[in-house]
Amino acid sequence: MVVLHVLFEHAVGYALLALKEVEEISLLLPQVEECVLNLGKFHNVVRLVAFCPFSSSQVALENANAVSEGVVHEDLRLLLETYLPSKKKKVLLGVGDPKIGAAIQEELGYNCQTGGVIAEILRGVRLHFHNLVKGLTDLSACKAQLGLGHSYSRAKVKFNVNRVDNMIIQSISLLDQLDKDINTFSMRVREWYGYHFPELVKIINDNATYCRLAQFIGNRRELNEEKLEKLEELTMDGAKAKAILDASRSSMGQCRIQQPV
């Protein structure tokens, strides 16, 4: 017979849970899947063996960093050595993270398992955790998770040696994205206004100049000699301005254009 224990890490502390003895761990999967959403049924399969609360937010952060790095913290070592059976060969410890499982197996000698039925059990523990631990409410558990999440994120940014480079990388990515967006919008303007004045695309290559001219010209049939000076100002080329005016008079584009609201 194998005694299955499960380690659950939470923002408020470590929890060690035990399941009923079975010959094969995989046989537990149908039972766990059936009762994971029902607290009463879940209590019949899983029981809390021990709960080790963190004494402060700083201790919680230290333990969170240790778990993420696959290091067995002294608090976790004390919990496992105190409450797990001394006969290690008959004990199987379920963990959520393979890295911390490998570290526990190497340092403490307990066989660890992840995935499968362990993942389902941890899902149920995560759902009913505030009911399994006396004195813990759902609100306080959520506040602890939020506080630890902020502390963990700040610590990761603080100790990131590339944090200055990150701002440069993000700025470059933003500029690249802006260039892509500008090119996309320019192509749409060229495509849509081209139905009305297709000859303008061949005369003007620059996207910014094309958009300014499309805004200024509007309906090409209203373009006349009086607007030639403004065309020269926008194109900065008298020959192009004259070519635009001539093209508007013999354009093959659609006559009607919907003015923007």
Side-chain angles (χ1 to χ4, degrees):
M1 299 291 285
V2 179
V3 180
L4 175 62
H5 287 75
V6 176
L7 174 67
F8 180 69
E9 309 97 3
H10 194 274
V12 295
Y14 292 115
L16 187 64
L17 304 104
L19 284 83
K20 62 182 182 180
E21 295 184 0
V22 290
E23 293 182 2
E24 182 63 39
I25 297 301
S26 59
L27 298 176
L28 279 171
L29 186 58
Q31 301 176 45
V32 174
E33 288 178 339
E34 182 182 352
C35 69
V36 71
L37 297 177
N38 188 299
L39 178 60
K41 292 182 179 180
F42 194 69
H43 266 301
N44 294 331
V45 179
V46 180
R47 62 181 177 86
L48 181 67
V49 175
F51 173 64
C52 177
F54 297 134
S55 57
S56 65
S57 58
Q58 182 61 36
V59 174
L61 179 59
E62 291 175 2
N63 279 271
N65 285 326
V67 170
S68 66
E69 295 167 5
V71 176
V72 180
H73 193 274
E74 195 59 36
D75 293 343
L76 178 56
R77 180 190 297 272
L78 181 62
L79 173 71
L80 297 178
E81 290 179 341
T82 303
Y83 292 99
L84 283 178
S86 56
K87 295 181 179 180
K88 298 181 179 181
K89 291 184 178 180
K90 291 188 177 182
V91 176
L92 181 63
L93 181 63
V95 295
D97 187 356
K99 286 195 331 184
I100 194 66
I104 292 172
Q105 189 162 345
E106 181 181 349
E107 294 186 29
L108 303 179
Y110 291 105
N111 291 323
C112 295
Q113 181 175 325
T114 59
V117 67
I118 305 300
E120 286 298 312
I121 295 168
L122 289 174
R123 186 165 71 95
V125 173
R126 193 177 298 111
L127 180 64
H128 303 298
F129 187 67
H130 59 283
N131 292 313
L132 295 172
V133 178
K134 291 183 179 180
L136 181 66
T137 63
D138 188 25
L139 180 61
S140 59
C142 290
K143 286 183 177 179
Q145 287 177 316
L146 183 62
L148 180 59
H150 288 170
S151 300
Y152 183 78
S153 300
R154 282 195 298 267
K156 284 296 181 184
V157 172
K158 181 179 179 181
F159 293 108
N160 184 1
V161 294
N162 299 317
R163 62 184 182 277
V164 177
D165 295 341
N166 284 341
M167 291 185 285
I168 298 173
I169 293 170
Q170 290 172 3
S171 299
I172 293 172
S173 298
L174 177 60
L175 290 174
D176 289 342
Q177 186 62 47
L178 286 173
D179 284 340
K180 291 179 182 178
D181 292 342
I182 289 171
N183 288 332
T184 300
F185 298 149
S186 299
M187 292 302 296
R188 292 294 175 269
V189 173
R190 283 176 174 270
E191 179 184 353
W192 295 339
Y193 192 67
Y195 290 122
H196 175 66
F197 194 178
E199 294 78 9
L200 185 61
V201 175
K202 300 177 182 178
I203 301 171
I204 303 298
N205 295 321
D206 181 68
N207 288 332
T209 304
Y210 185 93
C211 292
R212 293 191 189 98
L213 285 169
Q215 183 181 24
F216 170 70
I217 296 171
N219 189 342
R220 71 165 198 278
R221 302 185 70 181
E222 297 177 1
L223 195 60
N224 51 45
E225 296 285 347
E226 296 177 358
K227 296 181 178 181
L228 185 60
E229 183 179 350
K230 183 64 176 179
L231 286 177
E232 291 180 1
E233 181 182 335
L234 292 173
T235 59
M236 293 184 291
D237 189 326
K240 287 186 177 180
K242 188 68 169 63
I244 292 171
L245 182 61
D246 293 341
S248 67
R249 292 169 176 168
S250 58
S251 176
M252 299 296 292
Q254 297 177 0
C255 293
R256 297 186 63 184
I257 181 172
Q258 183 176 356
Q259 295 291 342
V261 179

